[in-house]
Amino acid sequence: MTSDTLSASSLAAAVTVHVRYFASIREAVGQGSETLCTQAGTVGALRDALIARGGPWAESLARGRAVRTALDQVLCGEGAVLSEGSEVAFFPPVTGG
């Protein structure tokens, strides 16, 4: 795991969150998880901060791409509010057959 500081256009206090990446997103970013200190107040703001990193984060989490999110192991929308120690997961939609 690595630590980074991410900032988003938010007045929220900095929190430490645990980010997990699954399936094709995990393959693209080259890691399954990381711990970040961020000022992002919501899951959507965290996604935007990760996109701002550029490279594989920008490509795999880009707006317009279908990405599912979960907060503390519960599916959520991008408006879900982050708190200290939250776990945020990003994964592509699952298709069945």
Coordinates of all heavy atoms in Angstrom, one line a residue:
M1 N 0.8 -1.2 0.0 CA 0.0 0.0 0.0 C 0.9 1.2 0.0 O 2.0 1.2 0.5 CB -0.9 0.0 1.2 CG -2.0 -0.9 1.1 SD -3.3 -0.5 2.3 CE -3.2 -2.0 3.4
T2 N 0.4 2.3 -0.6 CA 1.1 3.6 -0.6 C 0.2 4.7 0.0 O -1.0 4.6 0.1 CB 1.5 4.0 -2.1 OG1 0.2 4.2 -2.8 CG2 2.3 2.9 -2.7
S3 N 0.9 5.7 0.4 CA 0.2 6.9 0.9 C 0.4 8.1 -0.1 O 1.5 8.3 -0.5 CB 0.6 7.3 2.3 OG 0.2 6.4 3.2
D4 N -0.7 8.7 -0.4 CA -0.6 9.9 -1.3 C -1.5 11.0 -0.6 O -2.4 10.6 0.1 CB -1.2 9.6 -2.7 CG -0.2 9.0 -3.6 OD1 1.0 9.0 -3.3 OD2 -0.7 8.5 -4.6
T5 N -1.3 12.2 -1.0 CA -2.2 13.2 -0.6 C -3.0 13.7 -1.9 O -2.4 14.0 -2.9 CB -1.5 14.4 0.0 OG1 -0.8 14.0 1.1 CG2 -2.4 15.5 0.4
L6 N -4.3 13.5 -1.8 CA -5.2 14.0 -2.9 C -6.0 15.1 -2.4 O -6.4 15.2 -1.3 CB -6.1 12.8 -3.3 CG -5.5 11.6 -3.9 CD1 -6.5 10.5 -4.2 CD2 -4.7 11.9 -5.1
S7 N -6.2 16.1 -3.3 CA -7.1 17.2 -2.9 C -8.2 17.3 -4.0 O -7.9 17.0 -5.2 CB -6.3 18.5 -2.8 OG -5.7 18.9 -4.0
A8 N -9.4 17.7 -3.6 CA -10.5 17.9 -4.5 C -11.0 19.2 -4.2 O -10.7 19.8 -3.1 CB -11.5 16.8 -4.4
S9 N -11.8 19.8 -5.1 CA -12.4 21.1 -4.8 C -13.5 20.9 -3.7 O -14.7 20.8 -4.0 CB -13.0 21.7 -6.1 OG -13.9 20.8 -6.6
S10 N -13.1 20.8 -2.5 CA -14.0 20.5 -1.4 C -13.4 21.2 -0.1 O -12.2 21.3 0.0 CB -14.1 19.0 -1.2 OG -14.7 18.7 0.0
L11 N -14.3 21.6 0.7 CA -13.8 22.2 2.0 C -13.8 21.2 3.1 O -13.6 21.5 4.2 CB -14.7 23.4 2.3 CG -14.8 24.5 1.3 CD1 -15.8 25.6 1.8 CD2 -13.4 25.1 1.2
A12 N -13.9 19.9 2.8 CA -14.0 18.9 3.8 C -12.6 18.7 4.4 O -11.6 19.0 3.8 CB -14.3 17.5 3.1
A13 N -12.6 18.3 5.7 CA -11.3 18.1 6.4 C -10.7 16.8 5.8 O -11.4 15.9 5.3 CB -11.6 17.8 7.9
A14 N -9.4 16.8 5.8 CA -8.7 15.6 5.3 C -9.0 14.3 6.1 O -9.1 14.4 7.3 CB -7.2 15.9 5.3
V15 N -9.2 13.3 5.4 CA -9.5 12.0 6.0 C -8.6 10.9 5.3 O -8.2 11.1 4.2 CB -11.0 11.5 5.9 CG1 -11.9 12.4 6.7 CG2 -11.4 11.4 4.4
T16 N -8.3 9.9 6.1 CA -7.6 8.8 5.5 C -8.6 7.7 5.1 O -9.5 7.3 5.9 CB -6.6 8.2 6.5 OG1 -5.7 9.2 6.9 CG2 -5.9 7.0 6.0
V17 N -8.5 7.3 3.8 CA -9.4 6.3 3.3 C -8.6 5.1 2.7 O -7.5 5.3 2.3 CB -10.4 6.9 2.3 CG1 -11.3 7.9 2.9 CG2 -9.7 7.4 1.1
H18 N -9.3 4.0 2.7 CA -8.7 2.8 2.0 C -9.4 2.6 0.7 O -10.6 2.4 0.7 CB -8.8 1.6 3.0 CG -8.3 1.9 4.4 ND1 -7.0 1.9 4.7 CD2 -9.0 2.2 5.5 CE1 -6.8 2.2 5.9 NE2 -8.0 2.4 6.5
V19 N -8.6 2.6 -0.4 CA -9.2 2.5 -1.7 C -8.9 1.1 -2.3 O -7.7 0.7 -2.2 CB -8.7 3.6 -2.6 CG1 -9.3 3.5 -4.0 CG2 -8.9 4.9 -2.0
R20 N -9.9 0.4 -2.8 CA -9.7 -0.9 -3.4 C -10.1 -0.8 -4.8 O -11.1 -0.2 -5.2 CB -10.5 -2.0 -2.6 CG -10.0 -2.1 -1.2 CD -10.6 -3.2 -0.4 NE -10.0 -4.4 -1.0 CZ -10.5 -5.6 -0.7 NH1 -11.4 -5.8 0.1 NH2 -9.9 -6.7 -1.3
Y21 N -9.3 -1.5 -5.7 CA -9.6 -1.6 -7.1 C -9.8 -3.0 -7.5 O -9.1 -3.9 -7.1 CB -8.4 -1.0 -7.9 CG -8.0 0.4 -7.5 CD1 -6.8 0.5 -6.8 CD2 -8.7 1.5 -7.9 CE1 -6.4 1.8 -6.4 CE2 -8.3 2.8 -7.5 CZ -7.1 2.9 -6.8 OH -6.7 4.2 -6.4
F22 N -10.8 -3.3 -8.4 CA -11.1 -4.6 -8.7 C -11.1 -4.8 -10.3 O -11.4 -3.9 -11.0 CB -12.5 -5.0 -8.2 CG -12.5 -5.2 -6.7 CD1 -12.8 -4.1 -5.9 CD2 -12.1 -6.4 -6.1 CE1 -12.8 -4.2 -4.5 CE2 -12.1 -6.5 -4.7 CZ -12.4 -5.4 -3.9
A23 N -10.9 -6.1 -10.7 CA -11.0 -6.5 -12.1 C -10.2 -5.7 -13.0 O -9.0 -5.5 -12.7 CB -12.5 -6.6 -12.5
S24 N -10.7 -5.2 -14.1 CA -10.0 -4.5 -15.1 C -9.4 -3.2 -14.5 O -8.3 -2.7 -15.0 CB -10.8 -4.2 -16.3 OG -12.0 -3.4 -16.0
I25 N -10.0 -2.6 -13.6 CA -9.5 -1.3 -13.0 C -8.2 -1.7 -12.2 O -7.2 -1.0 -12.3 CB -10.5 -0.6 -12.1 CG1 -11.7 -0.2 -12.9 CG2 -9.9 0.6 -11.4 CD1 -12.9 0.3 -12.1
R26 N -8.2 -2.8 -11.5 CA -7.0 -3.2 -10.7 C -5.9 -3.5 -11.7 O -4.7 -3.1 -11.5 CB -7.4 -4.5 -10.0 CG -6.2 -5.1 -9.2 CD -6.5 -6.4 -8.6 NE -5.4 -6.9 -7.8 CZ -5.5 -7.6 -6.7 NH1 -6.6 -7.8 -6.1 NH2 -4.4 -8.0 -6.1
E27 N -6.2 -4.2 -12.8 CA -5.2 -4.4 -13.8 C -4.6 -3.2 -14.4 O -3.4 -3.1 -14.6 CB -5.7 -5.3 -14.9 CG -6.1 -6.7 -14.5 CD -6.9 -7.5 -15.5 OE1 -6.8 -7.1 -16.7 OE2 -7.5 -8.5 -15.1
A28 N -5.5 -2.2 -14.7 CA -5.0 -0.9 -15.3 C -4.1 -0.1 -14.4 O -3.1 0.4 -14.8 CB -6.2 -0.1 -15.7
V29 N -4.5 0.0 -13.1 CA -3.7 0.8 -12.2 C -2.5 0.1 -11.5 O -1.7 0.7 -10.9 CB -4.6 1.5 -11.1 CG1 -5.7 2.4 -11.7 CG2 -5.2 0.5 -10.1
G30 N -2.5 -1.2 -11.7 CA -1.3 -2.0 -11.3 C -1.3 -2.3 -9.8 O -0.2 -2.6 -9.2
Q31 N -2.4 -2.1 -9.1 CA -2.4 -2.4 -7.6 C -3.9 -2.7 -7.2 O -4.8 -2.2 -7.8 CB -1.8 -1.3 -6.8 CG -2.5 0.0 -7.0 CD -1.8 1.2 -6.4 OE1 -0.5 1.2 -6.4 NE2 -2.5 2.1 -5.8
G32 N -4.0 -3.5 -6.2 CA -5.3 -3.8 -5.7 C -5.9 -2.9 -4.7 O -7.1 -2.8 -4.5
S33 N -5.0 -2.2 -4.0 CA -5.5 -1.3 -2.9 C -4.4 -0.3 -2.6 O -3.2 -0.4 -2.9 CB -5.9 -2.0 -1.7 OG -4.7 -2.7 -1.1
E34 N -4.8 0.8 -1.9 CA -3.9 1.8 -1.4 C -4.6 2.6 -0.3 O -5.8 2.6 -0.3 CB -3.4 2.7 -2.5 CG -4.4 3.5 -3.2 CD -3.8 4.4 -4.4 OE1 -2.8 5.0 -4.1 OE2 -4.4 4.4 -5.4
T35 N -3.8 3.2 0.5 CA -4.4 4.1 1.6 C -4.0 5.5 1.3 O -2.8 5.8 1.0 CB -3.8 3.7 3.0 OG1 -4.2 2.3 3.2 CG2 -4.4 4.6 4.1
L36 N -5.0 6.4 1.3 CA -4.8 7.8 0.9 C -5.3 8.7 1.9 O -6.3 8.5 2.6 CB -5.6 8.1 -0.4 CG -5.3 7.2 -1.6 CD1 -6.3 7.5 -2.7 CD2 -3.9 7.4 -2.1
C37 N -4.6 9.9 2.0 CA -5.1 11.0 2.8 C -5.7 12.0 1.8 O -5.0 12.4 0.8 CB -4.0 11.7 3.6 SG -4.6 13.0 4.6
T38 N -7.0 12.3 1.9 CA -7.7 13.1 0.9 C -8.6 14.1 1.5 O -9.1 13.9 2.6 CB -8.5 12.2 -0.1 OG1 -9.1 13.0 -1.1 CG2 -9.5 11.4 0.7
Q39 N -8.8 15.2 0.8 CA -9.8 16.2 1.2 C -11.1 16.0 0.5 O -12.1 16.7 0.7 CB -9.3 17.6 1.0 CG -8.2 18.0 2.0 CD -7.8 19.4 1.9 OE1 -7.7 20.0 0.8 NE2 -7.5 20.1 3.0
A40 N -11.2 15.0 -0.3 CA -12.4 14.7 -1.0 C -13.5 14.3 0.0 O -13.3 13.5 0.9 CB -12.2 13.5 -2.0
G41 N -14.7 15.0 -0.1 CA -15.7 14.7 0.8 C -16.7 13.6 0.5 O -17.4 13.1 1.3
T42 N -16.7 13.2 -0.8 CA -17.6 12.2 -1.3 C -16.8 11.2 -2.2 O -15.7 11.5 -2.6 CB -18.7 12.8 -2.2 OG1 -18.1 13.4 -3.3 CG2 -19.5 13.9 -1.4
V43 N -17.5 10.1 -2.5 CA -16.9 9.1 -3.4 C -16.7 9.7 -4.7 O -15.6 9.5 -5.3 CB -17.9 7.9 -3.4 CG1 -17.4 6.9 -4.6 CG2 -17.9 7.2 -2.1
G44 N -17.6 10.5 -5.2 CA -17.4 11.2 -6.5 C -16.2 12.1 -6.6 O -15.5 12.2 -7.5
A45 N -16.0 12.9 -5.5 CA -14.9 13.8 -5.4 C -13.6 13.0 -5.3 O -12.6 13.4 -5.9 CB -15.0 14.7 -4.2
L46 N -13.6 11.8 -4.7 CA -12.4 11.0 -4.6 C -12.1 10.5 -6.0 O -11.0 10.4 -6.5 CB -12.6 9.8 -3.7 CG -11.5 8.8 -3.6 CD1 -10.2 9.5 -3.1 CD2 -11.8 7.7 -2.7
R47 N -13.1 10.0 -6.7 CA -12.9 9.6 -8.1 C -12.3 10.7 -9.0 O -11.4 10.4 -9.7 CB -14.3 9.1 -8.7 CG -14.2 8.6 -10.1 CD -15.5 8.1 -10.6 NE -15.4 7.7 -12.0 CZ -16.5 7.2 -12.7 NH1 -17.7 7.2 -12.2 NH2 -16.3 6.8 -14.0
D48 N -12.8 11.9 -8.8 CA -12.2 13.0 -9.6 C -10.8 13.2 -9.2 O -9.9 13.5 -10.1 CB -13.0 14.3 -9.4 CG -14.4 14.2 -10.1 OD1 -14.6 13.5 -11.0 OD2 -15.3 15.0 -9.6
A49 N -10.4 13.1 -8.0 CA -9.1 13.3 -7.5 C -8.2 12.2 -8.1 O -7.0 12.5 -8.5 CB -9.0 13.3 -6.0
L50 N -8.7 11.0 -8.1 CA -7.9 9.9 -8.7 C -7.7 10.1 -10.2 O -6.6 9.9 -10.8 CB -8.5 8.6 -8.4 CG -8.5 8.1 -7.0 CD1 -9.4 7.0 -6.7 CD2 -7.1 7.8 -6.6
I51 N -8.8 10.6 -10.9 CA -8.7 10.9 -12.3 C -7.6 11.9 -12.6 O -6.9 11.8 -13.6 CB -10.1 11.3 -12.9 CG1 -11.0 10.1 -12.9 CG2 -9.9 11.9 -14.3 CD1 -12.5 10.5 -13.1
A52 N -7.5 12.9 -11.7 CA -6.6 14.0 -11.9 C -5.1 13.5 -11.8 O -4.2 14.2 -12.3 CB -6.8 15.1 -10.8
R53 N -4.9 12.3 -11.3 CA -3.5 11.8 -11.3 C -3.1 11.5 -12.7 O -1.9 11.4 -13.0 CB -3.5 10.4 -10.6 CG -3.6 10.4 -9.1 CD -3.6 9.0 -8.6 NE -3.3 8.9 -7.2 CZ -3.2 7.8 -6.5 NH1 -3.5 6.7 -7.1 NH2 -2.9 7.8 -5.2
G54 N -4.0 11.3 -13.6 CA -3.6 11.0 -15.0 C -3.3 9.6 -15.2 O -3.6 8.7 -14.3
G55 N -2.7 9.2 -16.3 CA -2.3 7.8 -16.6 C -3.4 6.8 -16.5 O -4.6 7.1 -16.9
P56 N -3.1 5.7 -15.9 CA -4.1 4.6 -15.8 C -5.4 5.0 -15.0 O -6.4 4.4 -15.2 CB -3.4 3.4 -15.2 CG -2.2 4.0 -14.5 CD -1.9 5.3 -15.3
W57 N -5.2 5.8 -14.0 CA -6.3 6.3 -13.2 C -7.3 7.1 -14.0 O -8.5 6.8 -14.0 CB -5.9 7.1 -11.9 CG -5.2 6.2 -10.9 CD1 -5.8 5.5 -9.9 CD2 -3.8 6.0 -10.8 NE1 -4.9 4.9 -9.2 CE2 -3.6 5.1 -9.7 CE3 -2.7 6.4 -11.5 CZ2 -2.4 4.7 -9.3 CZ3 -1.5 6.0 -11.1 CH2 -1.3 5.1 -10.0
A58 N -6.8 8.0 -14.8 CA -7.6 8.8 -15.7 C -8.4 8.0 -16.7 O -9.5 8.2 -17.0 CB -6.8 9.9 -16.4
E59 N -7.7 7.0 -17.2 CA -8.3 6.1 -18.2 C -9.3 5.2 -17.7 O -10.4 5.1 -18.2 CB -7.2 5.3 -19.0 CG -7.7 4.5 -20.1 CD -6.6 3.8 -20.9 OE1 -5.5 4.3 -21.0 OE2 -6.9 2.7 -21.3
S60 N -9.0 4.5 -16.6 CA -9.9 3.5 -16.1 C -11.1 4.0 -15.3 O -12.1 3.4 -15.2 CB -9.1 2.5 -15.2 OG -8.5 3.1 -14.1
L61 N -10.9 5.2 -14.7 CA -12.0 5.8 -13.9 C -12.7 7.0 -14.6 O -13.5 7.7 -14.0 CB -11.4 6.3 -12.5 CG -10.8 5.2 -11.6 CD1 -10.1 5.8 -10.4 CD2 -11.9 4.2 -11.2
A62 N -12.3 7.2 -15.8 CA -12.8 8.4 -16.6 C -14.3 8.6 -16.5 O -15.1 7.6 -16.5 CB -12.4 8.3 -18.0
R63 N -14.8 9.8 -16.5 CA -16.2 10.1 -16.6 C -16.7 9.5 -18.0 O -16.0 9.6 -18.9 CB -16.5 11.6 -16.5 CG -16.1 12.2 -15.2 CD -17.0 11.6 -14.1 NE -16.6 12.0 -12.8 CZ -17.1 11.5 -11.7 NH1 -18.1 10.6 -11.8 NH2 -16.7 11.8 -10.5
G64 N -17.8 9.0 -18.0 CA -18.3 8.3 -19.2 C -18.1 6.8 -19.2 O -18.7 6.1 -20.0
R65 N -17.2 6.4 -18.4 CA -16.9 4.9 -18.3 C -17.8 4.4 -17.2 O -18.0 5.0 -16.2 CB -15.5 4.6 -17.9 CG -14.5 4.9 -19.1 CD -13.1 4.4 -18.7 NE -13.2 2.9 -18.6 CZ -12.6 2.1 -19.4 NH1 -11.9 2.5 -20.4 NH2 -12.6 0.8 -19.2
A66 N -18.3 3.2 -17.4 CA -19.2 2.6 -16.4 C -18.3 2.1 -15.3 O -17.5 1.2 -15.5 CB -20.0 1.4 -17.0
V67 N -18.4 2.7 -14.1 CA -17.7 2.3 -12.9 C -18.6 2.2 -11.7 O -19.4 3.1 -11.5 CB -16.5 3.3 -12.6 CG1 -15.9 3.0 -11.3 CG2 -15.5 3.4 -13.7
R68 N -18.6 1.1 -11.0 CA -19.5 0.9 -9.9 C -18.6 1.3 -8.6 O -17.4 1.2 -8.7 CB -19.9 -0.5 -9.7 CG -20.7 -1.1 -10.9 CD -22.1 -0.5 -11.1 NE -22.9 -0.5 -9.9 CZ -23.9 -1.4 -9.7 NH1 -24.2 -2.3 -10.6 NH2 -24.6 -1.4 -8.6
T69 N -19.3 1.8 -7.6 CA -18.6 2.2 -6.4 C -19.3 1.5 -5.2 O -20.5 1.3 -5.2 CB -18.6 3.7 -6.2 OG1 -19.9 4.2 -6.2 CG2 -17.8 4.4 -7.3
A70 N -18.5 1.3 -4.1 CA -19.0 0.8 -2.9 C -18.3 1.6 -1.8 O -17.1 1.9 -1.9 CB -18.8 -0.6 -2.7
L71 N -19.0 1.9 -0.7 CA -18.5 2.6 0.5 C -18.7 1.6 1.6 O -19.8 1.2 1.9 CB -19.2 3.9 0.7 CG -18.7 4.7 1.9 CD1 -17.2 5.1 1.8 CD2 -19.6 5.9 2.1
D72 N -17.6 1.2 2.3 CA -17.7 0.3 3.4 C -18.5 -1.0 3.0 O -19.3 -1.4 3.8 CB -18.2 1.0 4.6 CG -17.3 2.1 5.1 OD1 -16.1 2.0 5.0 OD2 -17.8 3.1 5.6
Q73 N -18.2 -1.5 1.9 CA -18.7 -2.8 1.3 C -20.2 -2.7 1.0 O -20.9 -3.8 1.0 CB -18.3 -3.9 2.3 CG -16.8 -4.1 2.4 CD -16.4 -5.2 3.3 OE1 -17.3 -6.0 3.7 NE2 -15.1 -5.4 3.5
V74 N -20.7 -1.5 0.8 CA -22.1 -1.4 0.4 C -22.2 -0.5 -0.9 O -21.6 0.5 -0.9 CB -23.0 -0.7 1.5 CG1 -24.4 -0.4 1.0 CG2 -22.9 -1.5 2.8
L75 N -22.8 -1.1 -1.9 CA -22.9 -0.3 -3.2 C -23.5 1.1 -2.9 O -24.4 1.3 -2.0 CB -23.8 -1.0 -4.2 CG -23.3 -2.3 -4.8 CD1 -24.4 -2.9 -5.7 CD2 -22.1 -2.0 -5.6
C76 N -22.9 2.1 -3.6 CA -23.3 3.5 -3.3 C -23.2 4.3 -4.5 O -22.6 3.9 -5.5 CB -22.4 4.1 -2.2 SG -20.7 4.4 -2.7
G77 N -23.8 5.5 -4.5 CA -23.6 6.5 -5.5 C -22.5 7.4 -5.2 O -21.9 7.3 -4.1
E78 N -22.2 8.3 -6.1 CA -21.0 9.2 -6.0 C -21.2 10.2 -4.9 O -20.3 10.9 -4.5 CB -20.6 9.8 -7.3 CG -20.1 8.7 -8.2 CD -19.2 9.2 -9.3 OE1 -19.1 10.5 -9.5 OE2 -18.7 8.4 -10.1
G79 N -22.4 10.4 -4.4 CA -22.7 11.4 -3.4 C -22.4 10.9 -2.0 O -22.6 11.6 -1.0
A80 N -22.1 9.6 -1.9 CA -21.9 9.0 -0.5 C -20.7 9.8 0.1 O -19.7 10.0 -0.5 CB -21.5 7.5 -0.7
V81 N -20.9 10.1 1.4 CA -19.9 10.9 2.1 C -18.8 10.0 2.8 O -19.1 9.0 3.4 CB -20.7 11.7 3.2 CG1 -19.7 12.5 4.1 CG2 -21.7 12.6 2.6
L82 N -17.6 10.5 2.6 CA -16.4 9.8 3.2 C -16.3 10.2 4.6 O -16.5 11.3 5.0 CB -15.2 10.1 2.4 CG -15.2 9.8 0.9 CD1 -13.9 10.3 0.3 CD2 -15.4 8.3 0.7
S83 N -15.7 9.3 5.4 CA -15.4 9.6 6.8 C -14.0 8.9 7.1 O -13.6 8.1 6.3 CB -16.4 9.1 7.8 OG -16.6 7.7 7.7
E84 N -13.4 9.3 8.2 CA -12.1 8.7 8.5 C -12.2 7.2 8.5 O -13.1 6.6 9.2 CB -11.7 9.2 9.9 CG -10.3 8.8 10.3 CD -9.2 9.3 9.5 OE1 -9.3 10.4 8.9 OE2 -8.2 8.7 9.4
G85 N -11.2 6.6 7.8 CA -11.2 5.1 7.8 C -12.1 4.4 6.8 O -12.1 3.2 6.8
S86 N -12.8 5.2 6.0 CA -13.8 4.5 5.1 C -13.0 3.7 4.1 O -11.8 3.9 3.8 CB -14.5 5.6 4.3 OG -15.4 6.3 5.0
E87 N -13.7 2.6 3.6 CA -13.2 1.8 2.5 C -14.0 2.1 1.3 O -15.2 2.0 1.3 CB -13.3 0.3 2.8 CG -12.7 -0.5 1.7 CD -13.0 -2.0 1.9 OE1 -14.1 -2.5 1.6 OE2 -12.1 -2.7 2.4
V88 N -13.3 2.5 0.2 CA -14.0 2.8 -1.1 C -13.5 1.8 -2.1 O -12.3 1.6 -2.3 CB -13.7 4.3 -1.5 CG1 -14.4 4.6 -2.8 CG2 -14.1 5.3 -0.4
A89 N -14.4 1.2 -2.8 CA -14.1 0.3 -3.9 C -14.6 0.8 -5.2 O -15.7 1.3 -5.3 CB -14.7 -1.1 -3.6
F90 N -13.7 0.6 -6.2 CA -14.1 0.9 -7.6 C -14.0 -0.4 -8.4 O -13.0 -1.1 -8.3 CB -13.1 2.0 -8.2 CG -13.2 3.3 -7.5 CD1 -12.3 3.6 -6.5 CD2 -14.1 4.2 -7.9 CE1 -12.3 4.9 -5.9 CE2 -14.2 5.5 -7.3 CZ -13.3 5.8 -6.3
F91 N -15.0 -0.6 -9.2 CA -15.0 -1.8 -10.0 C -15.9 -1.7 -11.2 O -16.9 -0.9 -11.2 CB -15.4 -3.1 -9.2 CG -16.7 -2.9 -8.4 CD1 -17.9 -3.4 -8.9 CD2 -16.7 -2.3 -7.2 CE1 -19.1 -3.3 -8.2 CE2 -17.9 -2.2 -6.5 CZ -19.1 -2.7 -7.0
P92 N -15.6 -2.4 -12.3 CA -16.5 -2.3 -13.5 C -17.8 -3.1 -13.2 O -17.8 -3.9 -12.3 CB -15.7 -3.0 -14.6 CG -14.8 -3.9 -13.8 CD -14.5 -3.3 -12.5
P93 N -18.8 -2.7 -14.0 CA -20.1 -3.5 -13.8 C -19.9 -5.0 -14.2 O -19.0 -5.3 -15.0 CB -21.1 -2.8 -14.8 CG -20.3 -1.8 -15.5 CD -18.9 -1.7 -15.0
V94 N -20.6 -5.8 -13.5 CA -20.4 -7.2 -13.7 C -21.5 -7.7 -14.7 O -22.7 -7.3 -14.5 CB -20.6 -8.0 -12.4 CG1 -20.5 -9.5 -12.6 CG2 -19.5 -7.6 -11.4
T95 N -21.1 -8.4 -15.7 CA -22.1 -9.0 -16.6 C -22.1 -10.5 -16.4 O -21.1 -11.1 -16.1 CB -21.7 -8.7 -18.1 OG1 -20.5 -9.2 -18.3 CG2 -21.7 -7.2 -18.3
G96 N -23.3 -11.0 -16.5 CA -23.5 -12.4 -16.3 C -23.9 -13.2 -17.6 O -24.2 -12.5 -18.6
G97 N -23.9 -14.4 -17.5 CA -24.3 -15.1 -18.7 C -24.7 -16.5 -18.4 O -24.7 -17.1 -17.4

